[in-house]
Amino acid sequence: MNVISISDKFHTKEDCLGYMENLRWSGHPVCPYCGSTDNIPVKKEFRHHCNNPECKKTFSVLIGTIFEGARLPLPKFFVLIGLMLNARKGISSMQLRRDVGITVRSSWYAAMRVRCAMVETISDMKGTVEADEMYVGGKPRHRKVTADNVAWLSRLEKPKRGRGAQNKVKVAGMVERDGRVITKVLSNFTAQNLLAMLKRYVNIDKATLMTDEFASYNSFDEYVTRHVIKHKQKEYVRGNVHTNTIEGYWSIVKAGIKGQYRVLSRRYFPFYLAEFAYKYNRRNAQSLQFESFMKDALSDGKCLIYHKPKGDPLKIVYPRKNKPAKANTRKFNKANKDAGKTKAKKKIAKAKKKKEIKTEKE
Ligand SMILES: [Zn+2]
């Protein structure tokens, strides 16, 4: 379904609600509060009253889905979903605002709801699996040198790219060759964190790992067969051994960030990553998969941005809030002290001269 057919098919709120009821319940409404199937339709359309004596609530199909509490008219919401699903490298909320005809805040919130539905957990990765890491964040800008940041800036004089980069978001990823990808924001690329990823997502018995020579991957050898490609020695392909698939995926993500989003917050970065992964994992689908997405969005456990996320995003490790690096004041103080000493010496010298002049006069 393309965007035009979506807007043709879903003219009114009732069209959307009917479609969603069919998809979610297929004619047998279930109470989202207590799970009871005993309910009657209320006079008002598309609402149901739960007959469970302990519940007795009325509900619509939107409760417990990404649409709960959304004020955006559903037909517009559906068009927005269509636009987002069609955009291979993402679509910014400003663009959505122009295309759908709503405000930026509405488009941002709606887009975040859609991204919530795109969060998925993958397990049982098989075959050749490539693992690698990515650093996201712009170049360090020129800043005014002050007493607080003098040491920090001196460290940034030669900004590092890749490993060892300061103040960047760290993303670890694993991808099956010709298969699915999973990415995760980590606070640090320690062996422990990466091993946790391996155990959670990869079928250890049926997978062969391909990594580069990063030391944190050495702990993988206890669990899986692993081949190492030595990037430091400028070796990028050795027969079947390479990590080019995941490098290619990183380039897609970075192109999306640079081309579409421009600026992303650290806090919501995992959701954007989920969007990229969702689209990558369905890249072979010919047309946009509106119906399968709607099924995902209406299934249980999909979170809402306004409420505490019930699903996976909570488990995603958020990076710590970036504290400014402690200024190494020692150097600065020493420099100040030295300057102070020379000043004092000059003063003493001046005073001495004055005394000498005085004594000469006398
Ligand atoms: Zn109920």
Side-chain angles (χ1 to χ4, degrees):
M1 233 193 261
N2 57 40
V3 182
I4 291 171
S5 54
I6 289 172
S7 72
D8 278 349
K9 198 179 174 188
F10 304 106
H11 266 297
T12 59
K13 186 183 168 189
E14 283 73 33
D15 293 340
C16 304
L17 284 171
Y19 173 76
M20 283 197 270
E21 282 202 356
N22 250 339
L23 260 190
R24 191 177 184 190
W25 294 324
S26 45
H28 304 284
V30 182
C31 173
Y33 298 110
C34 65
S36 160
T37 50
D38 180 17
N39 48 55
I40 46 163
V42 186
K43 273 182 189 173
K44 209 176 165 189
E45 265 182 48
F46 297 107
R47 287 194 75 79
H48 306 267
H49 180 77
C50 182
N51 282 339
N52 184 0
E54 286 166 15
C55 179
K56 285 190 172 177
K57 281 176 180 165
T58 53
F59 57 87
S60 78
V61 69
L62 305 179
I63 303 297
T65 71
I66 59 162
F67 301 100
E68 185 181 343
R71 290 194 217 158
L72 187 64
L74 285 172
K76 283 190 175 182
F77 212 133
F78 276 34
V79 170
L80 184 139
I81 290 171
L83 285 170
M84 280 188 76
L85 287 176
N86 242 353
R88 271 287 151 94
K89 287 183 186 67
I91 184 164
S92 67
S93 38
M94 286 297 278
Q95 181 81 49
L96 286 171
R97 178 196 77 126
R98 289 189 287 270
D99 288 349
V100 185
I102 46 180
T103 64
V104 180
R105 295 201 95 189
S106 309
S107 65
W108 187 86
Y109 278 120
M112 283 313 284
R113 283 166 185 267
V114 174
R115 278 178 205 119
C116 281
M118 285 176 173
V119 174
E120 55 183 355
T121 43
I122 283 179
S123 57
D124 205 32
M125 292 174 101
K126 288 175 220 159
T128 312
V129 178
E130 297 176 16
D132 197 26
E133 329 87 66
M134 167 177 75
Y135 294 78
V136 185
K139 283 178 198 168
R141 306 284 168 197
H142 178 74
R143 295 192 190 184
K144 205 178 170 187
V145 181
T146 62
D148 294 331
N149 68 6
V150 61
W152 183 60
L153 281 175
S154 70
R155 235 185 296 151
L156 289 180
E157 260 174 34
K158 286 175 191 166
K160 272 188 182 174
R161 298 184 64 201
R163 251 158 229 158
Q166 300 269 338
N167 291 325
K168 291 202 181 185
V169 178
K170 294 162 186 157
V171 184
M174 286 174 182
V175 62
E176 288 168 327
R177 261 184 214 166
D178 303 321
R180 305 160 297 169
V181 70
I182 186 92
T183 50
K184 210 162 179 186
V185 176
L186 295 178
S187 53
N188 264 317
F189 294 131
T190 55
Q192 199 183 3
N193 282 348
L194 291 170
L195 255 184
M197 263 189 92
L198 176 83
K199 285 176 184 172
R200 191 164 162 201
Y201 302 121
V202 179
N203 186 334
I204 287 168
D205 302 322
K206 291 179 185 169
T208 328
L209 257 279
M210 305 274 169
T211 67
D212 53 16
E213 68 275 64
F214 187 38
S216 290
Y217 291 121
N218 291 345
S219 54
F220 283 18
D221 290 339
E222 286 179 38
Y223 303 92
V224 281
T225 44
R226 183 175 72 109
H227 299 288
V228 182
I229 191 87
K230 287 174 180 166
H231 283 170
K232 261 188 189 169
Q233 294 166 21
K234 307 224 162 170
E235 179 193 47
Y236 297 104
V237 184
R238 190 177 67 242
N240 200 24
V241 182
H242 62 83
T243 58
N244 291 351
T245 318
I246 187 106
E247 306 282 1
Y249 178 68
W250 294 147
S251 84
I252 293 174
V253 174
K254 286 189 172 175
I257 292 170
K258 202 163 188 194
Q260 281 295 326
Y261 298 120
R262 306 298 297 169
V263 178
L264 292 177
S265 71
R266 273 165 195 258
R267 190 174 169 204
Y268 295 114
F269 192 57
F271 292 97
Y272 288 87
L273 279 177
E275 187 192 353
F276 282 116
Y278 184 92
K279 283 172 185 168
Y280 183 84
N281 293 342
R282 285 156 189 76
R283 65 194 176 282
N284 291 329
Q286 285 299 315
S287 58
L288 94 164
Q289 300 196 316
F290 185 75
E291 194 162 312
S292 80
F293 171 79
M294 289 303 286
K295 268 184 193 167
D296 279 348
L298 295 169
S299 62
D300 294 331
K302 286 300 171 184
C303 53
L304 292 160
I305 195 76
Y306 294 117
H307 305 272
K308 274 190 177 173
K310 290 178 203 160
D312 205 43
L314 251 197
K315 288 172 197 162
I316 291 171
V317 182
Y318 289 121
R320 278 185 200 162
K321 265 208 166 172
N322 208 24
K323 285 180 191 169
K326 261 194 176 176
N328 185 3
T329 44
R330 203 186 287 165
K331 262 188 187 174
F332 193 76
N333 286 347
K334 211 193 163 193
N336 261 358
K337 255 188 188 173
D338 290 349
K341 271 180 191 172
T342 47
K343 265 189 184 178
K345 274 180 188 173
K346 276 182 185 172
K347 266 190 181 179
I348 293 165
K350 260 191 179 179
K352 269 187 181 175
K353 266 191 179 176
K354 269 188 183 177
K355 264 189 182 179
E356 279 170 12
I357 292 163
K358 266 187 185 179
T359 45
E360 275 174 19
K361 277 184 182 174
E362 282 170 357

